[in-house]
Amino acid sequence: MVDVDNLEFGIETFGDIVANEDGSLKTAAESIRQIVREGELADQYGINVIGVGEHHRPDYSVSSPETVLAAIAAVTKNIKLATAVTVLSSDDPVRVYERFATLDGLSNGRAQVMLGRGSFTESFPLFGYDLTDYDDLFNEKLVLYDQLRKEKPVTWSGKFRPSLKEQEVYPKTEKGELETYIGIGGSPESIIRAARFGYKVIIAIIGGQAERFKPYMDLYHKAAQKFDMPVYPVAVHSHGFIADNKDEAIEVAFKNIKANFDRIGLTRGWAPMSREQFDNETKVGSFYVGDPETVAQRIAKTIQLLDLGRFDLVYGAGNQTAAQRERMIELYATKVIPRVKEILSTKEGENHDH
């Protein structure tokens, strides 16, 4: 049974370049300032979390999410400030910890680390790492991060960075540790690893039906039990777009999400997204697109199916305008979230198989 009272809702952006009304593109700098404005709006509307991605490529504006989150911290009061994700494999865990501890101090304890291996790989050559070490890098750095998180002197040695002996790391956080999630794309090993370390889990469902992730939920519970670690409510993030009118939402989303996925697909060998594929994702897959009622019904179904504690909607995919992005955040906060809670706390939720 979903705990509606403690259910959290977030938004996430990967820093897509914002479009002007005439179709031309804003600069990366303008797009970054727009994200800060959106973070401020999300906070005013009472959304629980904003997540900002890390990428090092021309179609995304944010390579340093903590800096953008620090700017959002300065103009907000309650919203949690997360990355989506921090690519730990190509970063230094000590620097990651210091940056987030700083953000946590600036924001009155609202920083949230989301660690991942990175589904994009451009950061590896950029920072001098070999992609053949993809798994080893993450595993080793997670062990170091985990020690740093205890905020005690660290003694550690590994293959990819100099060893540490009784090393203190500053600043310390006020609450004694940073809230940390591990972002998972769909490998059982990742779920087991997160459970072993006792971290919260956020699953990226960016294609296909949410139902196929049910076994992962069971695996997480079993693994946490086996390692005698706490079981936290699981979070999910998926793409979506909301507009006042369903047809308008579908057209805007198709144009932008398709362009976004096709561009990424060029480097990954994906075939271009067909209209049929998009429509299928929108009806039964992992794109939450439409007017507020349509989107609320589908989100409620996913939350119930997977017994989630948090749902994050990835907004702004492709080159949407500032007005489209801001209206979507408003509709999500004022119409979709209250409606999802209503569905889940009534009989409607119990019969939610339509």
Side-chain angles (χ1 to χ4, degrees):
M1 189 66 190
V2 175
D3 180 1
V4 179
D5 293 337
N6 292 309
L7 199 53
E8 287 193 311
F9 291 88
I11 53 168
E12 292 181 19
T13 175
F14 296 156
D16 301 72
I17 302 294
V18 182
N20 292 304
E21 294 295 339
D22 64 2
S24 63
L25 297 182
K26 291 188 184 292
T27 62
E30 286 172 315
S31 300
I32 289 167
R33 293 193 289 272
Q34 177 61 28
I35 293 170
V36 176
R37 178 174 160 72
E38 288 157 358
E40 192 175 4
L41 279 176
D43 185 56
Q44 287 165 4
Y45 288 128
I47 291 173
N48 300 112
V49 192
I50 181 166
V52 180
E54 173 199 337
H55 296 88
H56 307 266
R57 44 187 291 143
D59 41 350
Y60 295 112
S61 62
V62 181
S63 59
S64 172
E66 298 91 335
T67 311
V68 180
L69 292 168
I72 296 172
V75 293
T76 57
K77 289 191 173 66
N78 300 308
I79 198 165
K80 290 181 189 174
L81 308 160
T83 46
V85 300
T86 292
V87 186
L88 187 65
S89 317
S90 58
D91 212 329
D92 177 24
V94 175
R95 296 291 289 159
V96 169
Y97 203 87
E98 289 180 338
R99 296 195 305 259
F100 273 100
T102 303
L103 175 64
D104 204 59
L106 278 171
S107 65
N108 245 333
R110 290 185 281 137
Q112 203 176 78
V113 193
M114 205 187 284
L115 299 173
R117 294 186 297 175
S119 66
F120 290 82
T121 54
E122 67 274 354
S123 63
F124 288 80
L126 184 63
F127 299 117
Y129 292 103
D130 191 329
L131 270 172
T132 57
D133 297 323
Y134 186 79
D135 282 322
D136 293 343
L137 280 162
F138 188 74
N139 288 331
E140 180 180 295
K141 292 183 178 197
L142 189 59
V143 170
L144 175 52
Y145 176 88
D146 196 53
Q147 282 208 39
L148 294 162
R149 193 167 167 246
K150 297 175 177 79
E151 301 197 352
K152 303 273 194 296
V154 172
T155 298
W156 174 92
S157 66
K159 183 176 157 191
F160 299 105
R161 87 177 297 290
S163 53
L164 300 170
K165 190 166 183 204
E166 288 296 297
Q167 184 69 53
E168 292 276 9
V169 173
Y170 303 100
K172 308 292 184 191
T173 61
E174 286 174 325
K175 56 183 185 275
E177 67 169 12
L178 286 167
E179 185 179 8
T180 305
Y181 278 80
I182 293 191
I184 290 165
S187 79
E189 298 78 30
S190 300
I191 287 262
I192 293 166
R193 184 198 291 122
R196 192 173 74 233
F197 280 96
Y199 286 148
K200 296 179 178 179
V201 168
I202 184 160
I203 301 176
I205 305 183
I206 59 165
Q209 295 187 19
E211 203 164 330
R212 66 195 175 94
F213 284 87
K214 270 191 86 121
Y216 290 81
M217 302 296 169
D218 300 338
L219 185 61
Y220 170 64
H221 283 90
K222 279 182 189 149
Q225 229 170 352
K226 182 187 163 189
F227 297 117
D228 201 20
M229 284 295 185
V231 175
Y232 296 105
V234 174
V236 153
H237 93 172
S238 291
H239 285 76
F241 182 68
I242 309 158
D244 293 272
N245 174 288
K246 187 177 179 181
D247 292 340
E248 179 205 340
I250 287 168
E251 289 317 308
V252 171
F254 178 64
K255 178 185 151 197
N256 286 289
I257 293 177
K258 174 181 162 56
N260 181 266
F261 274 67
D262 287 356
R263 196 167 52 234
I264 296 163
L266 288 173
T267 57
R268 303 209 189 162
W270 299 343
M273 183 183 287
S274 68
R275 182 62 195 245
E276 187 186 4
Q277 196 184 347
F278 173 83
D279 287 342
N280 192 50
E281 285 292 354
T282 305
K283 287 189 185 92
V284 295
S286 57
F287 294 167
Y288 296 81
V289 174
D291 57 81
E293 179 64 19
T294 305
V295 174
Q297 289 284 353
R298 296 212 54 239
I299 291 176
K301 194 171 180 180
T302 297
I303 290 172
Q304 192 170 48
L305 180 72
L306 300 178
D307 192 20
L308 300 177
R310 170 172 152 194
F311 185 92
D312 284 9
L313 197 57
V314 181
Y315 75 98
N319 307 118
Q320 296 170 25
T321 66
Q324 286 167 338
R325 291 163 59 124
E326 288 178 24
R327 181 64 178 151
M328 165 166 167
I329 292 169
E330 183 184 351
L331 290 170
Y332 180 58
T334 61
K335 298 267 189 356
V336 174
I337 293 171
R339 182 71 180 114
V340 171
K341 289 179 176 174
E342 184 185 28
I343 293 166
L344 292 172
S345 53
T346 60
K347 285 282 182 204
E348 205 178 336
E350 290 169 32
N351 312 320
H352 214 272
D353 52 16
H354 58 277

